[in-house]
Amino acid sequence: MILTVTLNTAVDITYRVRALTPHASHRVTEVAERPGGKGLNVARVLAALGHEVTVTGFTGGATGRALREQLAHTPGVVDALVPVGGATRRTIAVVDETTGDTTQLNEPGPTVSPAEWSAFQEAYGELLRSASAVALCGSLPPGVPVGAYAGLVRAARARAVPVLLDTSGEPLRRGVAARPDIVKPNAEELAELTGSHEPWQATRDARRRGAHTVVASLGAEGLLAVNAEGRWRATPPRQVRGNPTGAGDSAVAGLMSGLVDHLPWPQRLARAVALSAATVLSPVAGEFDRRTYEELLDRVAVTGDATAA
């Protein structure tokens, strides 16, 4: 079982408009609503790939009940979310059909009490007993300690469960120091962590801070990866236009899938890049266009040096 952790779950609402114009009224042409938050997006992609997935994190209020009802209809995903008194947040994505650009509005999430945080840690420890790998994903809701991910990384490592961390800012900095097996920042998060805007240098610097493997997402330009075995770059054979929301989460799903399938790193990266690109053609996060994925998978270019760290 793969475990995904989404401490700041959400109901993702996607609006499509013909053209997004500031200060104007818009007619929405299409609405989609899904359980969201980075780890839930990762879980849906993993389930679509045929993996057994359990999701945990916090949920509460009317929005949380709606999220769990929708999640109950997601094949292959087991709900182990922990209830809180506050209301689960919503995220709003507005897709401009003319330009293909997406504008994202993210609510902060419920305030988590110390007792609720303790209850989650206890539930997380129990779930680790049957987990083959764990992905820690997304932002922290108010009330959760900034070093929360560092503690969750250490708990997973204490049970010899491989752990991937995908977050940003101070939670990323502290989490990296706990030595996760994989971290997956994007270029902006990587620069904030290391102070370097040169991707290879920043990736190496991030690894020296504690992560065993650093996989840097460069958007449409693919992925970089550095670990003790070497370094690689994976790029899609062509760029696809569409909604990039969730593309990074699909890349995480590809890395987790490759991890539990024991694939060599070049194949893991190819899977992650193909899934990420195929997600851009999906109308909502947590889904991917399977035909595009299968077409791209064998055509992702992976170059690298298996001896350079």
Side-chain angles (χ1 to χ4, degrees):
M1 175 268 286
I2 300 174
L3 177 64
T4 72
V5 175
T6 313
L7 296 178
N8 212 3
T9 59
V11 170
D12 286 344
I13 302 169
T14 302
Y15 294 141
R16 300 184 72 88
V17 299
R18 201 163 303 282
L20 181 62
T21 305
H23 315 299
S25 177
H26 297 80
R27 184 177 298 278
V28 176
T29 60
E30 184 180 337
V31 181
E33 187 173 309
R34 295 288 189 279
K38 294 177 72 65
L40 268 66
N41 295 336
V42 171
R44 286 204 302 276
V45 174
L46 284 169
L49 292 172
H51 295 282
E52 296 181 2
V53 192
T54 296
V55 297
T56 191
F58 295 113
T59 185
T63 315
R65 288 192 295 274
L67 183 152
R68 301 187 87 159
E69 289 172 4
Q70 294 169 12
L71 198 60
H73 299 288
T74 305
V77 176
V78 175
D79 176 356
L81 294 165
V82 175
V84 293
T88 296
R89 66 187 179 135
R90 297 162 299 176
T91 67
I92 311 295
V94 183
V95 180
D96 184 320
E97 294 177 336
T98 301
T99 65
D101 293 336
T102 301
T103 299
Q104 192 84 16
L105 303 173
N106 298 327
E107 295 179 356
T111 298
V112 176
S113 71
E116 290 166 340
W117 174 236
S118 294
F120 171 80
Q121 290 175 286
E122 183 176 348
Y124 175 73
E126 289 299 314
L127 289 167
L128 285 176
R129 294 177 181 272
S130 54
S132 57
V134 58
L136 308 173
C137 305
S139 62
L140 301 179
V144 171
V146 70
Y149 280 136
L152 299 182
V153 168
R154 287 191 288 268
R157 290 184 55 78
R159 293 186 179 273
V161 178
V163 56
L164 179 150
L165 176 62
D166 182 16
T167 188
S168 60
E170 186 65 12
L172 174 61
R173 189 184 71 81
R174 297 197 187 193
V176 166
R179 302 185 62 79
D181 294 272
I182 305 170
V183 294
K184 194 215 70 67
N186 60 32
E188 181 180 343
E189 293 161 351
L190 191 60
E192 182 182 3
L193 175 66
T194 66
S196 174
H197 292 271
E198 198 290 308
W200 280 117
Q201 182 63 48
T203 305
R204 289 191 295 268
D205 288 350
R207 183 170 177 267
R208 282 194 287 268
R209 291 170 182 264
H212 291 266
T213 298
V214 178
V215 179
S217 173
L218 304 181
E221 297 179 11
L223 299 173
L224 303 180
V226 174
N227 61 24
E229 300 173 31
R231 66 179 194 174
W232 300 269
R233 179 164 190 162
T235 55
R238 61 181 175 87
Q239 292 191 8
V240 294
R241 289 184 59 82
N243 178 10
T245 305
D249 303 332
S250 290
V252 170
L255 295 172
M256 295 295 289
S257 176
L259 170 66
V260 298
D261 286 346
H262 306 290
L263 296 182
W265 269 102
Q267 293 181 39
R268 296 188 200 185
L269 296 171
R271 185 176 288 185
V273 167
L275 281 169
S276 180
T279 296
V280 174
L281 295 179
S282 173
V284 293
E287 297 180 3
F288 63 95
D289 185 88
R290 185 169 290 274
R291 180 177 297 180
T292 302
Y293 166 63
E294 293 172 351
E295 176 220 333
L296 295 178
L297 184 57
D298 293 331
R299 299 175 56 212
V300 173
V302 183
T303 59
D305 183 345
T307 61

